[in-house]
Amino acid sequence: MAENRKSTGNRSDLPSKTKPKTKAVNQEKRGGKNTPFRRPLNARTEAKPARSEVAPAFPAHEELEHEDDEVIEQADQAGKTASPSRRRGPPTQKLQKILAQAGLGSRRDMEELIKNGRVTVNGQVAELGARIADDDWVRLDGKNVRVRPADRMPRIMLYHKPEGEIVSRDDPDGRPTVFDRLPQMRTSKWIAIGRLDFNTSGLLIFTTSGELANHLMHPRFEVEREYAVRTMGMLTPEQIKQLTTGIELEDGTAQFDQVSDQGGEGTNHWYRVVLREGRNREVRRMFEASGLMVSRLMRVRFGVINLPSRLKRGQTLELEAAEVAKVLKWAGIEAPRVTVAQRQTDEVRRTTRIKSHHPAAPEKPARRPRKVPQSKA
């Protein structure tokens, strides 16, 4: 028996009575700590959804693959019937779309910039409706604008931010940043969608699409943010009504769309709240204005994207091309066609998409040479 155990090295071959059942193993199966804050507010009244990394609005991988096959077949048929001269030309994009993808604002805002003559293409003042290729030179107010390839699908990265990290590329105090955990890119850069405080954890979304980032963060789109809040004490019905109807803060009136009581033990009590804006420390300030101190705050949903239950603190998960297309469709953004190469890449990395990126340890200062006392003559 001992030789078999040593040769196989697989603990699943052991009898069920000898398997260790520790608290850590049970928490791992449940997806982390024993907190019910990875589901939407209405999850208790609905059927339990299938396990997935994104919101239930997205279809399963098998359905996505069938949809992609149909799209690819239709594109191939269209390519066969198109004229040879049209197929040989380089792909072009609308100028306002290029500017929006660079994160400079919405398409309507970019149209106004073009009308005002602030955009040039290859040294000439651009006109509204102009189309440009990947090798064209675009400048806004004299500054270069990066042109993304027309057939390139943007990337979306989910990150479970732990407490003790800031959402900034540079910090004068030298604190760790969330960008230290992300994979480095040569031709693009990660855009953080929203911010989380130094002491706030939870879902943080990064993307290479400036247009998507603008849609999720701009106040006029009113994208929902959902948080799990642990307070010291309980809210009264009058306080809950005040939080949902409007409470006065230093920078204006704020309110929650929903406040759900999640129970608790002792003096600690959990709530789930939903709001449609992201002012600085807004959730904490609203509870403090009601007389309760927030001891823990975690974002569990942003728009249609939920925090995956198997994504632990400090880990990242990149969405597949088909999932990115679903997010873009929800945001009303035209998505590039999913190519066969992108589907094959997603198939290879599907089982290892969740990664833990450990930031490099800071360099230790060099030790000063030890002074040797000189002997007195």
Side-chain angles (χ1 to χ4, degrees):
M1 178 65 72
E3 295 178 357
N4 293 335
R5 293 183 184 177
K6 185 176 181 180
S7 60
T8 59
N10 189 357
R11 299 185 65 88
S12 61
D13 297 333
L14 298 175
S16 59
K17 295 182 179 179
T18 61
K19 289 183 178 180
K21 295 184 178 180
T22 61
K23 182 178 180 181
V25 173
N26 294 334
Q27 289 184 354
E28 184 72 14
K29 293 180 179 179
R30 291 195 299 265
K33 290 190 176 182
N34 188 16
T35 56
F37 301 116
R38 299 293 181 87
R39 297 172 297 171
L41 279 171
N42 56 357
R44 294 191 174 185
T45 59
E46 299 177 357
K48 186 176 181 180
R51 185 176 182 180
S52 60
E53 288 80 6
V54 293
F58 301 151
H61 291 298
E62 292 75 8
E63 298 177 3
L64 292 173
E65 293 173 358
H66 292 304
E67 291 180 3
D68 297 339
D69 294 337
E70 296 177 0
V71 173
I72 293 172
E73 291 177 1
Q74 294 175 3
D76 294 340
Q77 294 295 332
K80 293 178 182 179
T81 58
S83 59
S85 60
R86 186 173 183 179
R87 291 200 306 266
R88 285 197 298 267
T92 60
Q93 304 179 79
K94 290 184 178 181
L95 179 57
Q96 57 266 32
K97 179 181 179 181
I98 291 295
L99 298 175
Q101 288 180 345
L104 302 176
S106 64
R107 294 194 186 186
R108 291 184 179 181
D109 297 337
M110 298 303 101
E111 291 176 358
E112 293 296 329
L113 296 179
I114 297 173
K115 291 179 181 180
N116 297 332
R118 298 171 57 183
V119 183
T120 60
V121 179
N122 299 329
Q124 302 294 328
V125 178
E127 297 180 356
L128 185 63
R131 302 185 68 90
I132 62 174
D134 298 342
D135 56 350
D136 286 333
W137 183 28
V138 181
R139 295 173 69 91
L140 173 63
D141 295 335
K143 297 182 179 180
N144 293 331
V145 177
R146 186 186 300 275
V147 179
R148 294 177 54 85
D151 57 348
R152 184 178 179 181
M153 180 72 71
R155 300 173 64 180
I156 298 179
M157 182 78 70
L158 308 185
Y159 176 56
H160 189 164
K161 175 189 173 302
E163 299 175 354
E165 293 182 356
I166 63 172
V167 187
S168 176
R169 295 185 180 273
D170 299 318
D171 180 46
D173 298 333
R175 294 173 296 181
T177 71
V178 295
F179 292 96
D180 297 336
R181 302 270 191 172
L182 301 181
Q184 300 296 326
M185 295 186 296
R186 296 181 179 179
T187 60
S188 301
K189 68 175 183 177
W190 292 112
I191 303 174
I193 298 177
R195 290 177 177 269
L196 291 176
D197 297 335
F198 184 76
N199 295 326
T200 303
S201 61
L203 176 63
L204 195 60
I205 305 175
F206 297 89
T207 182
T208 58
S209 172
E211 187 176 7
L212 177 61
N214 179 73
H215 180 89
L216 291 174
M217 291 187 294
H218 201 282
R220 70 185 180 92
F221 294 106
E222 296 184 346
V223 178
E224 290 185 348
R225 288 95 158 158
E226 187 171 347
Y227 293 85
V229 188
R230 188 180 69 184
T231 61
M232 300 179 63
M234 295 179 58
L235 292 171
T236 63
E238 291 77 13
Q239 291 174 328
I240 294 178
K241 183 178 180 180
Q242 186 181 19
L243 289 173
T244 53
T245 57
I247 188 169
E248 289 296 331
L249 301 178
E250 296 178 356
D251 52 354
T253 306
Q255 67 180 41
F256 292 127
D257 290 354
Q258 300 179 44
V259 176
S260 175
D261 190 343
Q262 301 293 312
E265 298 179 357
T267 59
N268 293 325
H269 209 80
W270 283 96
Y271 295 93
R272 289 172 70 92
V273 297
V274 176
L275 71 165
R276 297 175 181 268
E277 57 183 3
R279 284 185 269 176
N280 184 30
R281 301 183 72 253
E282 186 172 9
V283 176
R284 295 180 184 271
R285 290 190 293 142
M286 291 177 67
F287 275 91
E288 290 175 0
S290 299
L292 294 183
M293 181 67 66
V294 175
S295 59
R296 186 180 176 191
L297 182 61
M298 180 172 61
R299 184 160 65 194
V300 296
R301 180 171 64 89
F302 201 118
V304 294
I305 302 178
N306 291 325
L307 178 64
S309 59
R310 62 193 183 102
L311 190 64
K312 305 301 183 297
R313 291 180 177 84
Q315 292 183 337
T316 61
L317 183 149
E318 184 171 358
L319 300 187
E320 298 178 1
E323 296 171 334
V324 174
K326 292 295 178 181
V327 177
L328 296 177
K329 182 179 179 180
W330 166 80
I333 302 174
E334 182 182 358
R337 182 173 59 89
V338 181
T339 62
V340 177
Q342 288 173 331
R343 294 177 60 214
Q344 293 176 349
T345 303
D346 291 340
E347 285 288 343
V348 172
R349 69 183 183 185
R350 177 171 294 175
T351 57
T352 59
R353 287 192 298 161
I354 294 183
K355 298 180 180 180
S356 299
H357 303 275
H358 301 285
E363 297 182 359
K364 296 182 178 180
R367 290 186 176 182
R368 296 181 180 179
R370 186 177 180 182
K371 294 183 180 180
V372 179
Q374 298 180 356
S375 60
K376 297 181 180 181

